Amino acid sequence: MCKVTHGIMDSFTVSTMWRMLGQNQSWVSEFILIGFSSDPTTNSILFIVFLLIYLSSVLGNGLIIMLVCLDTQLHTPMYFFLCTLSLLDMSYVTTTMPQMLVHLLAHSQIISFAGCWLQMFVFGALSITECMIFVVMAYDRYVAICYPLHYTVILNWGLCIRLAAGSWICGFFSSLLNTFFTMSLPYCGPNRVNHYLCEGPSVRSLACMDTHFVEMVDLVLSVFVVVTPISLIVASYIHIAKAILKIKSTQGRCKAFSTCASHLTVVTLFYLPATYIYMRPNSNSSSERDKQISLFYTAFTPLLNPVVYSLRNKDIKRAFLKVMFYDRTGGPQW
């Protein structure tokens, strides 16, 4: 009898504690993205600047996609991956920029919990996919320079599609895992995110429990999507450099190097700030500095990618002139 009474009392005590916890605990249903400044004049200037960056990014990357689709001479593995990169850039700048532009002019910078979850997932998925695509593009350059006679045999369309699809699947699965762990944490206030978007480290700092396990998961994922791709890219370019040094003519060396220079430039612009944000200890973090550095891969990289590839690429220039100055009958208008 005593054991039964004791069990009933234990059950009552546990259920009472949960009810009290539910009554006293208020869970966050929305977040406030602080952004860059609270000064209306500064925000108006930033609005114009970021609007121009956004429009230029969408137009530039959209132009590359259009040129690759319209010009049959660009239907090669290299430009297929470049087209994929442009699609990624155009997509993930659209994931962050429009909301940031609205918040710069609006009095409220609120984003719902579900909206924050969705933005974190989509932005992370597209960013990680871009990390994988950079590796694929490095492999493309490796095959083109080290095995030029077997380029189209090795990088056939079936392999290209599998590499691109694998990059997308890897990106979305990794982001889903990271977002699930981050957004499963309890958030009971404050709800002010010192950022202009819902990025994992900034949101996770508001959790009202120890986040060591989630940080370790994030570190493992960061090694997978940052360190491993960088290592593969470096290994590819070591072999590329050896192959270039074997070319006897100076003109041949310059031509081979120029095909890699654009890729190296965009990889550097993307990976350096991303490595700083995701691979350093949290104790060394600074919210204001993080916001500024993250602009490199959220805003400036999508803007600069079309510029870098178009300025250094004769095929893109030729395709642009062909589309702009040829009439519908196929005859030149100049």
Side-chain angles (χ1 to χ4, degrees):
M1 183 67 179
C2 290
K3 291 182 178 180
V4 173
T5 304
H6 183 68
I8 294 173
M9 290 299 295
D10 285 347
S11 300
F12 174 79
T13 303
V14 172
S15 61
T16 303
M17 288 176 62
W18 277 110
R19 283 199 300 270
M20 291 175 62
L21 181 62
Q23 292 173 357
N24 295 332
Q25 186 67 63
S26 59
W27 300 104
V28 169
S29 60
E30 59 188 21
F31 292 100
I32 299 174
L33 299 175
I34 295 177
F36 294 98
S37 174
S38 58
D39 179 49
T41 304
T42 303
N43 285 339
S44 298
I45 296 172
L46 290 175
F47 174 83
I48 296 173
V49 172
F50 288 127
L51 178 62
L52 292 175
I53 290 175
Y54 174 65
L55 293 177
S56 300
S57 300
V58 172
L59 291 174
N61 286 288
L63 179 62
I64 287 181
I65 294 173
M66 182 189 72
L67 294 176
V68 173
C69 292
L70 292 179
D71 193 337
T72 56
Q73 294 185 19
L74 298 181
H75 292 179
T76 63
M78 173 182 173
Y79 292 106
F80 170 72
F81 296 130
L82 177 59
C83 185
T84 305
L85 178 66
S86 295
L87 178 62
L88 285 167
D89 284 339
M90 192 166 58
S91 299
Y92 85 76
V93 76
T94 302
T95 305
T96 59
M97 280 286 191
Q99 182 191 57
M100 182 174 68
L101 292 171
V102 171
H103 284 178
L104 284 171
L105 296 183
H107 296 289
S108 174
Q109 288 80 36
I110 292 175
I111 182 172
S112 66
F113 189 90
C116 187
W117 194 100
L118 182 63
Q119 185 184 59
M120 186 184 300
F121 167 67
V122 175
F123 177 75
L126 295 172
S127 300
I128 295 171
T129 303
E130 183 151 335
C131 290
M132 301 297 109
I133 287 294
F134 280 136
V135 178
V136 173
M137 294 176 76
Y139 175 68
D140 168 75
R141 292 299 84 206
Y142 163 73
V143 175
I145 293 175
C146 296
Y147 304 97
L149 299 179
H150 304 283
Y151 177 64
T152 55
V153 177
I154 297 174
L155 275 175
N156 55 73
W157 282 112
L159 179 59
C160 291
I161 293 172
R162 289 195 297 272
L163 288 172
S167 299
W168 284 90
I169 293 170
C170 179
F172 274 77
F173 177 76
S174 300
S175 180
L176 179 63
L177 188 64
N178 180 54
T179 305
F180 172 77
F181 279 110
T182 298
M183 301 309 284
S184 296
L185 293 169
Y187 295 94
C188 45
N191 66 338
R192 295 174 63 84
V193 181
N194 193 5
H195 213 301
Y196 55 88
L197 78 151
C198 285
E199 196 170 21
S202 299
V203 175
R204 193 165 54 239
S205 64
L206 302 178
C208 51
M209 67 169 288
D210 182 37
T211 60
H212 179 71
F213 173 74
V214 180
E215 290 172 4
M216 291 302 298
V217 172
D218 194 40
L219 181 62
V220 172
L221 286 174
S222 297
V223 169
F224 173 69
V225 302
V226 177
V227 177
T228 302
I230 289 177
S231 301
L232 293 173
I233 291 171
V234 169
S236 297
Y237 275 101
I238 288 175
H239 287 89
I240 289 172
K242 291 179 179 179
I244 291 176
L245 291 175
K246 292 179 182 179
I247 300 175
K248 295 181 179 180
S249 66
T250 305
Q251 185 179 0
R253 290 181 182 179
C254 293
K255 184 178 179 180
F257 178 75
S258 65
T259 62
C260 304
S262 300
H263 181 251
L264 282 173
T265 302
V266 296
V267 165
T268 303
L269 290 173
F270 183 86
Y271 270 108
L272 281 181
T275 302
Y276 172 81
I277 294 293
Y278 287 98
M279 296 301 296
R280 78 195 191 289
N282 285 341
S283 58
N284 296 335
S285 63
S286 170
S287 298
E288 294 300 325
R289 186 170 63 244
D290 288 357
K291 283 190 291 187
Q292 297 167 4
I293 292 177
S294 65
L295 282 173
F296 278 95
Y297 55 84
T298 59
F300 297 136
T301 300
L303 172 67
L304 294 176
N305 281 356
V307 177
V308 171
Y309 277 105
S310 61
L311 289 179
R312 300 186 63 89
N313 194 302
K314 294 180 180 179
D315 292 334
I316 293 291
K317 293 178 182 178
R318 178 196 53 76
F320 177 75
L321 293 174
K322 181 180 178 181
V323 170
M324 291 298 295
F325 296 104
Y326 270 63
D327 62 21
R328 294 182 180 180
T329 63
Q333 294 181 347
W334 58 75

